Amino acid sequence: MKKNTILPYLLLLITIMSCGQKKEEKKELEDLTKYVSTLVGSKSDFRLSTGNTYPAVATPWGMNFWTPQTNNNGDGWAYMYQKDSINGIKQTHQPSPWINDYAAFALFPMVGEVKFNEKERQSKYSHDTETAKPHYYSVDLETYNTRAEVTPTTRGAVFQFTFPQSGESSVLVDAYHKGSYVKIIPEENKIVGYCKNNSGGVPDNFANYFVIVFNKPFKTQGTWNGKDATSSKEVKADRTAGYVTFDTKDGEVITAKVASSFISIDQAEITLKREIGKKSFTTVKEEAQYAWNKEFNRLMVKGGTQRSMENFYTSMYRTLLFPRKFYEYDANNKLVHYSPYNGQVEEGYMFTDNGFWDTFRAVFPFFTVMYPELNSHIMAGLVNTYNESGWLPEWASPGHRDCMIGSNSAAIIADSYLKGIRGYDIETLYAAIIKNTKNHGPLGSVGRMGVDYYNDLGYIPYDVGIHENTARTLEYAYADFTIMELAKALNRPQEEIDLFRKRADNYKNVFDPSTNFMRAKMKDGSWQTPFIPEAWGGAFTEGSSWHYTWSVFHDPEGLADLMGGREAFAAKLDSVFSTPSIANHDYYGFEIHEITEMKVADEKYGTGQYAHGNQPIQHGIYLYDYVGQPWKAQKWTRKVLKDLYSPTPDGLCGDEDNGQTSAWYVFSALGMYPVAPGTGEYAIGSPEFEEATMSLENGNTFKVIANNNNEKNIYIQSAKLNGKDFNKTFITHDQIMAGGELVFEMGDQPNKNWGTAEDSVPYSMSREK
């Protein structure tokens, strides 16, 4: 296919009705799904993550994803590229292998004896016959001489199974364990049921209800109760499955239309009729492809290599998967959701499967630029979460999960409101944020663990039984900065604003000037000893002091003052990249995969202690902008874009984490990055493409143009914004949203005069008068 080919169906100007939405006219779109491989990052395991992803077949932010499964049910690494057998194509909601899956069930075609156990039924396959795209997955199952294909809707999917000539061609529906139910209705060519499997964070009445309709009457059928197979049409047990058998001619295609609901089987039926109805497999596939191209075409890049195009749109695909829509439309087209917090069916938006510790950094800032309406809906969903559970969801899957640290919902909410995004109850969200600042929640990840120490002492001590204490101190301090800014915008009392301004300085309480590192402090005010900068864990979260020393997003200049000035700050930042990637893992008792990934990157590419495979230091490169050495930010961003991302199954340098590592790529390829959400600024790096066009929801267009750009010309020589000389190392959100052009002239040597003036640097709280 030629680069500029537009799929025939995209040329048709037709109107479609999306549930709950107005009619919209389809536009001509370039097919950019051709650059996306959903297999990127899937060659991973517990010891080494090259993404820890799976090939998710989905629509953007879909309620349900589908993925081939190479491992047994319940294994967080459901699909591993290095495996040679598949045992099912399952509906999945897994945001991370560490969080694991919930509400999963699988379909699988077989010929001959029906086998229920995953290992017994699995089929050999080859990547040579595998197609893995956002909107479509297909694979030849060699053991059964069949082909399986799936294409998604938001809450459903259509399958095609191509069989050989046989009187024993079957499709198995595995509803998995932890309580499930299957009922076969031959007179309607239908299977219905539910599955209750989960990994925590759900009410007792949690279930995923499904409806599956085939295009051909069944020859025979049967069920399985986890132990015995029978001819019964209905089964309820800890683990269940059902199967239907057909007489097939050689090459005959059996179609299965599927939808599911967290509310009821009846609701799943409503969704099936609404989202799929009489549509063919081809039609659904084209609509799903259009859905992805619609998003990709909003951010068009050109003037890059084939590799960079593949990296960019694969990263954008990953950025647009989470958080997932956890809401449905009832028979009256009213927006409703099953609450994973109180177990009731409630009105309004709900989103889930997100860890804000990861995604506050770049994913949500990306939404504020490209998807403010979606961002508004997510905020409305946060209001519902708070009303239904009493807490904000720092890590939800689908309800509250005890994972990671911080109260990073504050940054997401503040950034949204401060950028002018409305359509939700900000007063309720502000009350929820304030509650976090005063309370330890029901889980370690909810509310603020160590809040009393933090509020009284200005830091969380090392010796009071609260793990990752220094990391919490730093993250709370940044959250308090965003609260201060939000409080200003909401005209809160000055004493309230001043309180959070004071707490935003709490990062200073854990900085040790004798070492120039962030360091754990004891309750009596003394420093914890012995101090080992390379020690991972303990006082820090999935990192060491080498990484968390830079977690002062809102005040890099204040941190530079602590270090002895800009030159000292830059020299310290230089040492991150030049210091060998040694690490102490005594806290964990073994070398966790994040450490391994840092070492692998250093060995291959010379990145030192810079651990891009995990989130705490992903903003660190851009801190050079704050101290007058932006050419170093340009150098290192382009090196990371080139060396640490590849459009291959082992193409990432660590966990993808709900789109964060991918969103870093998308922003950085555009030449900018949101170091400190809540400030409304994006630090400048080095754009990867000759041109990038952002089609904004407000109707404006913003372009980033990089003349003379290539793999050698990575340094900014000069810049113009809308025709006027531009010497800032940041661009504001308002400037982007107003539309226009930011034009860079690029060269192969640093211009140490560009962006180095005193007033060229991005925002730091300490610079406020």
Side-chain angles (χ1 to χ4, degrees):
M1 185 179 292
K2 293 182 180 179
K3 184 174 182 181
N4 292 322
T5 298
I6 300 176
L7 295 181
Y9 78 91
L10 297 180
L11 293 171
L12 298 176
L13 294 177
I14 61 175
T15 57
I16 61 171
M17 177 67 76
S18 299
C19 67
Q21 297 179 339
K22 299 177 181 178
K23 287 182 179 180
E24 63 174 315
E25 189 177 77
K26 280 192 173 182
K27 301 177 182 179
E28 292 185 8
L29 300 175
E30 182 177 344
D31 179 29
L32 299 173
T33 62
K34 63 188 176 184
Y35 294 117
V36 180
S37 171
T38 63
L39 298 174
V40 171
S42 64
K43 193 175 182 180
S44 301
D45 59 34
F46 175 85
R47 298 164 300 169
L48 180 67
S49 171
T50 65
N52 266 338
T53 63
Y54 54 85
V57 187
T59 58
W61 308 287
M63 191 175 86
N64 307 315
F65 302 167
W66 297 87
T67 186
Q69 182 163 284
T70 62
N71 289 354
N72 285 347
N73 171 51
D75 191 323
W77 285 263
Y79 178 93
M80 296 172 70
Y81 184 85
Q82 55 270 45
K83 296 292 185 74
D84 63 359
S85 296
I86 286 175
N87 63 61
I89 298 178
K90 76 168 181 173
Q91 184 179 109
T92 178
H93 305 89
Q94 179 170 296
S96 161
W98 312 105
I99 290 290
N100 215 306
D101 208 352
Y102 65 89
F105 64 96
L107 280 71
F108 193 63
M110 289 177 278
V111 175
E113 179 188 357
V114 177
K115 300 173 183 177
F116 300 97
N117 180 273
E118 292 102 324
K119 288 186 178 180
E120 293 175 356
R121 75 189 186 219
Q122 65 186 357
S123 171
K124 294 292 184 182
Y125 82 107
S126 168
H127 294 300
D128 292 339
T129 66
E130 185 181 36
T131 301
K133 292 292 180 180
H135 61 285
Y136 174 71
Y137 178 84
S138 67
V139 65
D140 287 353
L141 301 172
E142 298 169 5
T143 302
Y144 301 110
N145 191 26
T146 66
R147 184 171 184 79
E149 302 170 88
V150 62
T151 190
T153 67
T154 301
R155 301 168 186 84
V158 182
F159 285 80
Q160 283 189 162
F161 303 113
T162 304
F163 286 102
Q165 182 174 341
S166 175
E168 297 180 303
S169 296
S170 300
V171 177
L172 175 76
V173 178
D174 191 340
Y176 292 144
H177 66 321
K178 295 190 177 180
S180 56
Y181 167 76
V182 172
K183 181 179 181 181
I184 302 173
I185 310 173
E187 58 271 23
E188 299 181 41
N189 300 343
K190 183 185 294 184
I191 299 177
V192 300
Y194 63 73
C195 52
K196 297 176 70 69
N197 56 84
N198 67 84
S199 303
V202 297
D204 291 340
N205 68 345
F206 170 80
N208 183 25
Y209 302 90
F210 56 82
V211 176
I212 306 169
V213 178
F214 294 84
N215 68 330
K216 183 175 181 176
F218 312 146
K219 176 182 179 182
T220 59
Q221 62 276 321
T223 56
W224 180 63
N225 64 11
K227 297 179 181 178
D228 302 311
T230 73
S231 59
S232 173
K233 299 174 186 175
E234 189 171 10
V235 62
K236 181 179 180 181
D238 178 70
R239 180 169 186 179
T240 65
Y243 68 91
V244 292
T245 302
F246 308 90
D247 279 324
T248 57
K249 301 174 183 178
D250 187 36
E252 183 172 352
V253 176
I254 301 295
T255 299
K257 297 181 177 180
V258 187
S260 63
S261 166
F262 292 101
I263 295 172
S264 67
I265 290 176
D266 288 344
Q267 178 62 43
E269 292 264 19
I270 292 167
T271 297
L272 182 65
K273 292 175 182 177
R274 178 185 285 127
E275 291 193 0
I276 301 173
K278 295 181 180 180
K279 294 175 185 176
S280 68
F281 182 93
T282 299
T283 297
V284 172
K285 178 183 174 184
E286 289 175 349
E287 290 182 351
Q289 186 173 17
Y290 186 92
W292 281 107
N293 278 319
K294 180 182 175 184
E295 308 310 335
F296 295 155
N297 275 247
R298 294 172 75 165
L299 186 45
M300 300 284 285
V301 295
K302 63 182 182 180
T305 64
Q306 177 75 14
R307 174 191 173 98
S308 64
M309 294 291 287
E310 292 174 358
N311 276 334
F312 185 85
Y313 285 108
T314 297
S315 293
M316 191 169 173
Y317 152 75
R318 289 284 169 194
T319 303
L320 304 187
L321 284 174
F322 297 102
R324 80 173 65 255
K325 297 173 181 176
F326 204 75
Y327 59 87
E328 306 173 44
Y329 292 89
D330 68 12
N332 297 316
N333 215 30
K334 186 169 69 176
L335 193 152
V336 295
H337 65 269
Y338 166 82
S339 173
Y341 303 101
N342 66 19
Q344 303 298 312
V345 177
E346 305 277 5
E347 295 185 7
Y349 289 105
M350 179 61 62
F351 292 80
T352 192
D353 289 324
N354 219 255
F356 294 163
W357 183 83
D358 302 292
T359 55
F360 85 84
R361 304 165 195 268
V363 175
F364 280 93
F366 184 73
F367 294 165
T368 66
V369 178
M370 297 302 301
Y371 299 99
E373 183 178 22
L374 170 77
N375 188 279
S376 174
H377 296 166
I378 294 172
M379 293 302 113
L382 294 183
V383 172
N384 291 332
T385 296
Y386 180 68
N387 288 336
E388 293 162 23
S389 75
W391 299 95
L392 289 168
E394 304 300 332
W395 229 122
S397 182
H400 294 303
R401 299 291 294 278
D402 198 2
C403 184
M404 306 313 293
I405 68 164
S407 56
N408 299 300
S409 54
I412 291 168
I413 294 165
D415 194 46
S416 173
Y417 190 82
L418 293 167
K419 287 175 176 174
I421 298 172
R422 301 292 186 266
Y424 50 91
D425 183 356
I426 188 60
E427 295 297 337
T428 292
L429 290 181
Y430 186 78
I433 288 171
I434 297 302
K435 180 178 179 179
N436 273 359
T437 69
K438 298 178 180 180
N439 292 278
H440 183 312
L443 302 172
S445 62
V446 177
R448 289 188 176 185
M449 181 180 284
V451 64
D452 292 337
Y453 293 107
Y454 176 82
N455 290 347
D456 292 344
L457 300 176
Y459 67 97
I460 303 174
Y462 183 83
D463 54 343
V464 294
I466 298 172
H467 61 90
E468 301 167 351
N469 36 81
T470 307
R472 293 180 193 275
T473 298
L474 293 166
E475 294 198 20
Y476 295 167
Y478 165 64
D480 286 340
F481 161 77
T482 67
I483 297 170
M484 173 192 73
E485 293 297 311
L486 180 57
K488 290 179 185 176
L490 294 176
N491 296 313
R492 301 295 301 177
Q494 188 61 44
E495 60 181 341
E496 198 169 295
I497 295 170
D498 292 343
L499 172 65
F500 290 107
R501 172 61 180 81
K502 178 182 178 182
R503 288 178 179 173
D505 267 336
N506 280 348
Y507 72 89
K508 297 176 180 178
N509 296 331
V510 289
F511 181 81
D512 176 13
S514 71
T515 62
N516 261 4
F517 280 106
M518 295 296 175
R519 183 174 176 181
K521 183 177 282 188
M522 310 298 275
K523 187 178 180 181
D524 64 7
S526 63
W527 296 111
Q528 179 264 335
T529 57
F531 175 59
I532 305 172
E534 298 80 23
W536 282 55
F540 301 102
T541 303
E542 294 181 2
S544 71
S545 187
W546 276 106
H547 312 117
Y548 266 94
T549 290
W550 311 101
S551 289
V552 187
F553 311 95
H554 57 297
D555 198 15
E557 183 126 345
L559 178 60
D561 290 342
L562 295 177
M563 289 182 172
R566 288 184 169 190
E567 291 296 328
F569 180 101
K572 183 72 172 180
L573 194 52
D574 290 344
S575 70
V576 171
F577 300 97
S578 61
T579 301
S581 56
I582 57 174
N584 177 297
H585 57 255
D586 289 350
Y587 175 76
Y588 302 105
F590 64 97
E591 184 173 290
I592 61 174
H593 74 94
E594 290 90 349
I595 295 175
T596 305
E597 289 139 22
M598 177 182 71
K599 291 182 176 180
V600 168
D602 184 31
E603 181 180 339
K604 287 185 177 181
Y605 305 112
T607 49
Q609 287 283 338
Y610 179 73
H612 189 78
N614 208 22
Q615 280 65 46
I617 201 173
Q618 285 184 349
H619 68 294
I621 288 171
Y622 289 90
L623 296 182
Y624 283 115
D625 284 351
Y626 293 76
V627 290
Q629 298 188 17
W631 65 90
K632 292 181 181 177
Q634 296 156 31
K635 168 190 171 182
W636 282 107
T637 52
R638 289 293 283 271
K639 181 174 178 60
V640 171
L641 287 166
K642 178 177 179 290
D643 290 344
L644 300 186
Y645 291 81
S646 175
T648 58
D650 60 349
L652 298 175
C653 60
D655 282 358
E656 201 280 335
D657 282 330
N658 302 162
Q660 167 55 29
T661 299
S662 291
W664 187 97
Y665 188 99
V666 173
F667 261 124
S668 294
L670 297 176
M672 63 186 77
Y673 188 77
V675 170
T679 63
E681 293 182 356
Y682 305 87
I684 299 295
S686 175
E688 186 175 24
F689 297 93
E690 291 179 4
E691 184 175 308
T693 302
M694 304 162 70
S695 298
L696 306 172
E697 280 187 2
N698 63 11
N700 294 332
T701 298
F702 187 81
K703 286 189 176 183
V704 179
I705 297 171
N707 294 323
N708 305 312
N709 196 20
N710 56 45
E711 290 190 357
K712 292 184 179 179
N713 292 350
I714 64 174
Y715 295 105
I716 297 171
Q717 305 301 299
S718 63
K720 289 182 182 293
L721 178 63
N722 299 327
K724 297 181 179 180
D725 287 343
F726 184 76
N727 296 297
K728 306 289 187 183
T729 57
F730 67 93
I731 188 166
T732 70
H733 184 78
D734 289 344
Q735 287 171 326
I736 293 173
M737 301 310 288
E741 287 187 349
L742 178 59
V743 181
F744 296 106
E745 300 296 330
M746 307 299 291
D748 62 359
Q749 297 297 318
N751 178 0
K752 297 185 179 180
N753 293 317
W754 183 84
T756 58
E758 194 77 20
D759 63 352
S760 292
V761 302
Y763 173 90
S764 281
M765 185 178 69
S766 290
R767 297 177 70 239
E768 278 193 327
K769 296 180 180 178

